[in-house]
Amino acid sequence: MGLNMEIIWTRDLESKSYAEGLRLRKEVFVKEQKVPAEEEVDEFEKDCYHLSIYDGEEAAATGRILPKSGEKVKFGRVAVAKEKRGTGLGKLVMEEMEKKTRELGYKKIILGGQLSAVPFYEKLGYTPYGDIFLDGGIEHRMMKKDLREE
C-alpha cells in the first residue's frame, strides 16, 4: 500500500468519492464477477455510509454500511481493485468500516459474504450462520460480528 492513502466517507450520492466507489464496484462485481448491472445499485444506496479508500488518484477499495434496526448494521459492496488485492486493503476496508460502526454507536454487524471470501471474514472475527444463498448469481453465506465481544 502506498504512503498516500486517503480514506473518504460520504453519504452524498453526487460526490466524487461515491462515484469513484461505484465505478470500482461496477468494475469488480459487474465486469469481473458478472453480477447483473441492475442489481449492483439498489434502493438502499441513499441510506448508506459509503467508503472509498484511495491509493493514488483512483479509489482502490470500497465498501458501504447500511444501518438496520436497533444496534445492527449491514456491511456490503466490499470491493478491492484487482491489481491491489493481497496488499491488505481488504482488511483495511473492514477495519475502517468497523471503526465507523463504533463511531455511529452500532454494536452488531452482519454481512453476506461470497463463499470464496468466508475464510477472509472469519480471520477478522466474523461467524457464518444460516444456509448458503445466491446473490447476483454468486453463492453467499451470512456472517455476523458483535463488537461488544471484543
Side-chain angles (χ1 to χ4, degrees):
M1 288 188 290
L3 297 173
N4 56 347
M5 301 285 292
E6 188 179 6
I7 294 163
I8 299 177
W9 282 99
T10 190
R11 295 193 79 185
D12 178 2
L13 303 187
E14 303 296 315
S15 69
K16 180 181 184 284
S17 66
Y18 172 76
E20 277 283 312
L22 186 58
R23 178 200 55 77
L24 179 58
R25 284 168 39 188
K26 287 179 177 176
E27 184 71 30
V28 171
F29 298 122
V30 178
K31 199 170 164 193
E32 235 182 271
Q33 299 182 349
K34 311 294 185 234
V35 170
E38 62 275 10
E39 289 182 29
E40 180 47 38
V41 176
D42 61 23
E43 69 273 22
F44 302 116
E45 294 290 316
K46 66 186 180 331
D47 303 319
C48 292
Y49 294 84
H50 298 274
L51 170 67
S52 292
I53 299 180
Y54 289 80
D55 186 10
E57 293 298 309
E58 292 188 331
T62 189
R64 75 177 194 184
I65 298 173
L66 173 63
K68 303 291 268 183
S69 58
E71 303 182 308
K72 188 170 31 177
V73 297
K74 184 176 184 186
F75 284 5
R77 307 307 199 266
V78 175
V80 175
K82 195 172 196 170
E83 66 278 6
K84 303 283 184 182
R85 291 183 197 146
T87 64
L89 259 180
K91 184 176 184 224
L92 180 62
V93 167
M94 296 301 290
E95 288 168 352
E96 289 297 324
M97 289 173 64
E98 285 182 21
K99 189 167 117 186
K100 185 70 160 178
T101 298
R102 284 187 182 89
E103 286 171 13
L104 294 169
Y106 292 96
K107 308 284 186 244
K108 294 180 181 183
I109 300 165
I110 60 169
L111 61 85
Q114 293 184 8
L115 275 194
S116 61
V118 166
F120 165 76
Y121 293 119
E122 284 177 322
K123 280 187 209 147
L124 298 176
Y126 291 79
T127 306
Y129 69 93
D131 294 328
I132 292 169
F133 63 95
L134 283 180
D135 187 5
I138 299 168
E139 289 185 322
H140 283 67
R141 185 104 189 263
M142 288 305 296
M143 303 193 79
K144 62 185 174 185
K145 184 173 186 176
D146 191 333
L147 296 178
R148 289 174 297 205
E149 294 174 4
E150 294 191 324

